[in-house]
Amino acid sequence: MTDHKSAPVVTLLDAAKHFGPVRALDGVSLAVKPGDCIGLVGHNGAGKSTLVNLINGGLSPSSGEIRFSDGTAALEAGVRSVFQELSLCPNLTVAENLRISHKALKGPGWRRPARVEILQSLDRIFPAHGIDPNAEVDTLSIAERQMVEIAIGFAPRGTAARLVILDEPTSSLDAGIADQLLAHIKRFCADGGAVVFISHMMGEVFEVANRIIVLKDGRIVAERATADFTRQGLVDAMGHVTAETADAEGIRQDLGPEIVRTDQGLSARKGEIVGLSGLAGHGQAAALARLYLSRSSSWRYGRTPDVAFVAGDRPRDGVLPLWSILRNISISALRQGARRGLVDRHAEADVAAQWKDRIGIRTDDVRNQILSLSGGNQQKVLFARALASPASVVIMDDPMRGVDVGTKQDVYAMIRAEAARGRTFLWYSTETEEVCQCDRVFVFRNHEISAELTGADITEENILAASFELQEAS
Amino acid sequence: MTVLTKPWIWSCVAAAVAYALILGLTSGRGAGELAYAALSFGAFAAIVGLGQMLVITLGPGNVDLSVPATMTLAATLALKAMGTDPGTAMLGLVIALFVGFGVGIANYALIYFLRLPPIIATLAASLVYQSLAIWSNRGLRIKPPSGLADFATGRFLGLPNVAWVGLFLAIVVWVVLERSVWGRWLLATGQNMRAARLAGVPVELVRALTYISVAVFSALTGYLLASFSGGAALNMGAEYLLMSIAVVVVGGSSIAGGNSNVPGVWGAALFMFLVVSMLNSYGAGAGVRNVLTGTIIIGIVIAASTRRVRA
């Protein structure tokens, strides 16, 4: 047979996965060899997560075949995955979380080697990370948790990682940390490891991948070396026509009176899009949650809510898991059209159908369960919930995690249109590109506002400078 | 979506099976009387069960264990105020409902201000309510006014009056849960309180009104039961602690919250009465009866949960 070193780590032959009538993956053939770094792109619901779950053994194929070079199981073959939905146990320490997937650690005193191994892995990928392996995971920020998860994915764990699948690994990381990860992926592949890298951030895919696979509706529609793709070509292959962003809009001068002001100094005017930026976990999300809670009540309610919230942490802050898409969209707007306290169900259905089309929720019927949707489509439902409510201020806590490029462009346009009609947006994002779409940006550092940028001053350099200044001084 | 996929169908089927088994033993004699008795006694369990269902819908950890004490206190104070005088039934009803309202506010105040888990708050508070009931009439049994007693034991169109009350309340609760804004808010709060709050639901108001509702339902049941059985007794509510929770669970509502099931409560209330009758008519003693009742409840809960996992 072929040489062990160059034999594919995993080979898929016409693998398909159906969930009832839904063809999540419709016949995919693929070989991942050592040294490969494959960028996997596609829209929400294109089948990326299903493909990952077939490769790592989380699902078994409905038809077709999956072969591993060593042994028959994904785990024996050294296949690891890091998910975008965080999957650490929050009540355990960082080192204890390593043990869950490292069966060789046992006997008295197993925590010591666990601490050493996770610390080595963290140091290798994220130098100067500052994470204590004895810290319990729920004391870490969402970015730190993602770093720990990545470090566990690359840790030797008794054998060696041969193929690491990274599903949206950078969506909650800031630019500096993401660069460290990309550098590590390049080193790992140069040393003969393989990586499958899923991201909606095109720049990262082009930087790190040597081959790009485009998935669309459960099939591979393009597979070429990275050098053969252009950005526009890649977006076209994904099948979504994106209008060039109109950067030269100029600064809008027709803003209304100031309608938001907090003790921290955060302020917004009517019709303004205000961005919150800075390194992840520096108090932006907490500031927004405080603002929302102070402008709404657990006791009183009015016909028209003052503020609406779009959650980034969907399971914790957003999704009502037992309900249909319809009910998830309408919950914030129920008081409109309600007569004598009863829900107007025709109006409710109309609103949901209208938003399904406007924001492109991929479902046959809005009466389907919300959990039948992929992560990105659930996020669209949360957007629809906030935009369907008549609130004049919309607060968004990193709402684009896991949303594909085409939808992002649509949502940007929708936000601009709503702002022009007099709604105010407060928008925290870990992606500088998004923040640069705002009229005004507050940069956070150590739970305080370190800079307020407007107009032409909103640049990546200025934001980064304001994010790091104090850390250098201290 | 056939009728078989509705979780409430199972408690109704179980009630029908128990009914058929009893009639098999008596070879069909007394069918009407048995159904009448089941509707009368089932109505009390159904009304407290509806209240308990609302609280359990609020999510894990939410339950009202003060149901028996609330029933006793409301019945005792109402009957004492009426003092067997004719024409005081309305006064007694208002007093009972007022007691329920006060108990609900007290329970929720303990949960909200002292941040006690609802199980502990309502259990501890129920000792106070029970003591108040003892202190207020020193165990004297006061008869209800005769008009009220006639109403509680009477019938209308062949069905017991208390069953009409229970059916009416079931329809009200069903409309509230399925059609009203408030019901949506309750169901949302039970699924994920933080997400509901961030979606603009006034979650604390919803919780407060729910705890008040269960106490008012308990108080009403106490008032009706005392009128039905010829006076308030200090232990009159005892069996309704387990009963109120059992009818919710057997009726197909989710213990994890956010999901509730009104017809199932009625089916389960009839079933619980019929199981006891069935064991009686087969000549089982009190001990065997309790063991079997407990076993049946556990069996149904296991069956219901495994079915849901497979679905």
Side-chain angles (χ1 to χ4, degrees):
Chain A
M1 300 294 282
T2 42
D3 177 20
H4 179 80
K5 287 273 183 215
S6 62
V9 183
V10 60
T11 313
L12 279 79
L13 290 174
D14 204 26
K17 181 71 192 174
H18 303 164
F19 298 101
V22 181
R23 292 165 171 270
L25 210 59
D26 203 11
V28 166
S29 300
L30 169 67
V32 186
K33 297 193 190 70
D36 270 352
C37 180
I38 296 176
L40 184 60
V41 298
H43 285 298
N44 297 135
K48 302 187 297 290
S49 297
T50 311
L51 180 59
V52 168
N53 278 314
L54 285 181
I55 296 177
N56 69 19
L59 293 170
S60 48
S62 306
S63 64
E65 200 185 339
I66 297 174
R67 244 183 265 150
F68 296 100
S69 62
D70 302 333
T72 51
L75 212 59
E76 293 168 43
V79 177
R80 314 281 179 75
S81 6
V82 176
F83 291 105
Q84 77 191 70
E85 301 297 336
L86 302 160
S87 55
L88 299 174
C89 300
N91 56 335
L92 301 181
T93 68
V94 171
E96 285 164 351
N97 267 288
L98 174 71
R99 165 66 186 82
I100 291 170
S101 51
H102 188 338
K103 295 210 174 70
L105 284 176
K106 53 181 136 191
W110 60 268
R111 280 188 178 79
R112 183 186 300 271
R115 275 195 296 271
V116 172
E117 185 169 334
I118 188 67
L119 203 57
Q120 276 175 352
S121 186
L122 276 168
D123 286 343
R124 199 157 49 235
I125 307 170
F126 306 109
H129 52 82
I131 297 173
D132 176 4
N134 287 322
E136 279 178 22
V137 166
D138 58 7
T139 63
L140 301 180
S141 72
I142 198 159
E144 288 171 328
R145 289 183 206 192
Q146 185 73 60
M147 289 158 70
V148 169
E149 219 169 337
I150 292 167
I152 290 177
F154 280 103
R157 300 190 340 219
T159 54
R162 297 193 58 211
L163 166 60
V164 179
I165 305 166
L166 297 159
D167 191 352
E168 291 284 341
T170 56
S171 59
S172 48
L173 302 179
D174 58 61
I177 301 287
D179 285 344
Q180 292 182 338
L181 173 64
L182 298 186
H184 179 78
I185 292 175
K186 286 183 206 155
R187 281 200 303 273
F188 182 74
C189 292
D191 294 344
V195 166
V196 173
F197 185 83
I198 301 176
S199 179
H200 289 311
M201 283 173 237
M202 292 302 137
E204 292 178 354
V205 175
F206 274 98
E207 185 181 339
V208 79
N210 51 28
R211 188 149 60 103
I212 295 179
I213 291 176
V214 183
L215 270 183
K216 187 186 172 193
D217 298 330
R219 292 171 172 279
I220 294 180
V221 292
E223 177 174 2
R224 269 176 268 162
T226 306
D228 299 342
F229 274 108
T230 60
R231 279 190 188 220
Q232 192 55 45
L234 187 57
V235 172
D236 290 345
M238 286 162 62
H240 203 294
V241 188
T242 44
E244 277 296 310
T245 42
D247 284 27
E249 249 182 308
I251 305 161
R252 303 200 323 258
Q253 299 290 353
D254 51 345
L255 294 172
E258 187 172 89
I259 58 169
V260 173
R261 173 161 283 281
T262 68
D263 299 340
Q264 247 180 340
L266 196 58
S267 66
R269 288 186 288 169
K270 187 171 160 53
E272 190 175 29
I273 304 174
V274 174
L276 281 75
S277 187
L279 299 177
H282 273 239
Q284 301 93 331
L288 287 181
R290 257 202 320 279
L291 172 62
Y292 179 84
L293 294 178
S294 72
R295 301 272 301 232
S296 61
S297 169
S298 298
W299 287 97
R300 290 182 314 279
Y301 58 89
R303 191 157 278 265
T304 311
D306 184 31
V307 282
F309 191 85
V310 183
D313 189 341
R314 286 189 297 274
R316 191 187 65 162
D317 296 345
V319 166
L320 297 166
L322 299 177
W323 268 356
S324 62
I325 298 162
L326 171 81
R327 287 190 166 197
N328 264 288
I329 290 177
S330 67
I331 179 70
S332 295
L334 287 176
R335 294 282 304 165
Q336 277 66 54
R339 281 189 303 268
R340 290 201 217 106
L342 297 186
V343 175
D344 182 345
R345 294 195 298 158
H346 289 294
E348 183 188 21
D350 290 346
V351 168
Q354 181 197 337
W355 280 102
K356 168 184 168 334
D357 293 338
R358 265 186 80 180
I359 210 163
I361 299 166
R362 292 207 171 191
T363 182
D364 308 331
D365 189 342
V366 287
R367 282 169 299 179
N368 289 340
Q369 291 290 302
I370 178 125
L371 295 185
S372 70
L373 296 177
S374 67
N377 275 296
Q378 290 179 23
Q379 193 66 54
K380 293 184 201 170
V381 171
L382 299 186
F383 261 111
R385 178 194 290 173
L387 295 179
S389 96
S392 57
V393 179
V394 179
I395 295 173
M396 307 193 288
D397 174 9
D398 201 8
M400 297 290 191
R401 291 207 297 147
V403 174
D404 60 62
V405 182
T407 308
K408 274 184 190 174
Q409 295 300 340
D410 293 346
V411 173
Y412 295 157
M414 217 174 282
I415 289 173
R416 268 186 235 111
E418 292 284 330
R421 274 193 241 151
R423 275 208 203 186
T424 306
F425 288 83
L426 286 110
W427 185 358
Y428 164 51
S429 176
T430 47
E431 287 170 50
T432 314
E433 174 202 338
E434 285 176 7
V435 174
C436 291
Q437 312 240 352
C438 298
D439 300 324
R440 191 146 55 110
V441 172
F442 290 93
V443 184
F444 276 66
R445 196 174 59 215
N446 289 336
H447 300 260
E448 277 170 20
I449 293 171
S450 65
E452 178 182 342
L453 307 171
T454 48
D457 290 339
I458 306 176
T459 61
E460 183 154 9
E461 293 76 45
N462 284 345
I463 291 172
L464 277 175
S467 309
F468 281 105
E469 215 166 26
L470 194 105
Q471 290 185 337
E472 286 167 4
S474 64
Chain B
M1 200 64 179
T2 65
V3 75
L4 283 180
T5 60
K6 306 271 188 195
W8 54 262
I9 198 74
W10 300 103
S11 66
C12 297
V13 168
V17 168
Y19 185 66
L21 282 176
I22 302 174
L23 292 187
L25 190 75
T26 61
S27 39
R29 270 172 291 124
E33 287 81 351
L34 180 64
Y36 188 81
L39 284 169
S40 300
F41 288 96
F44 300 118
I47 299 172
V48 283
L50 287 170
Q52 194 71 274
M53 180 188 74
L54 294 177
V55 176
I56 288 177
T57 302
L58 277 177
N62 284 295
V63 68
D64 185 351
L65 300 183
S66 71
V67 163
T70 309
M71 288 171 67
T72 310
L73 181 62
T76 308
L77 294 183
L79 290 192
K80 190 179 177 193
M82 292 187 287
T84 330
D85 298 333
T88 52
M90 269 300 145
L91 171 73
L93 179 63
V94 169
I95 287 178
L97 296 182
F98 190 76
V99 168
F101 189 76
V103 163
I105 288 185
N107 281 342
Y108 187 68
L110 289 175
I111 294 165
Y112 183 71
F113 290 112
L114 304 185
R115 304 195 179 282
L116 293 176
I119 292 178
I120 296 180
T122 54
L123 197 56
S126 77
L127 293 178
V128 177
Y129 309 145
Q130 188 77 21
S131 307
L132 282 175
I134 295 170
W135 173 76
S136 71
N137 81 337
R138 318 211 178 276
L140 292 176
R141 197 173 172 96
I142 303 170
K143 278 194 157 52
S146 60
L148 179 58
D150 290 346
F151 169 81
T153 52
R155 62 175 77 193
F156 175 69
L157 295 179
L159 292 182
N161 286 334
V162 286
W164 285 113
V165 174
L167 277 175
F168 173 73
L169 290 176
I171 291 168
V172 169
V173 170
W174 186 85
V175 169
V176 165
L177 279 174
E178 295 295 318
R179 294 283 185 270
S180 79
V181 174
W182 194 82
R184 289 285 180 87
W185 283 349
L186 172 60
L187 294 169
T189 306
Q191 293 175 63
N192 183 340
M193 192 159 150
R194 184 176 163 88
R197 175 71 179 84
L198 290 172
V201 175
V203 287
E204 293 300 345
L205 180 70
V206 168
R207 262 160 50 97
L209 288 177
T210 308
Y211 276 95
I212 291 171
S213 306
V214 65
V216 168
F217 276 62
S218 306
L220 177 67
T221 312
Y223 170 78
L224 289 173
L225 183 61
S227 309
F228 179 84
S229 58
L234 288 176
N235 65 348
M236 61 183 276
E239 66 171 303
Y240 287 94
L241 181 55
L242 175 63
M243 188 66 87
S244 67
I245 298 170
V247 296
V248 175
V249 175
V250 172
S253 297
S254 163
I255 316 175
N259 185 359
S260 58
N261 198 322
V262 174
V265 168
W266 251 107
L270 296 176
F271 170 70
M272 296 299 290
F273 174 80
L274 289 166
V275 163
V276 175
S277 312
M278 180 175 79
L279 296 173
N280 272 334
S281 52
Y282 278 88
V288 177
R289 216 163 58 212
N290 282 340
V291 168
L292 281 176
T293 314
T295 313
I296 288 168
I297 295 176
I298 292 170
I300 287 191
V301 171
I302 291 172
S305 56
T306 49
R307 198 165 42 77
R308 235 168 259 140
V309 169
R310 259 186 257 123

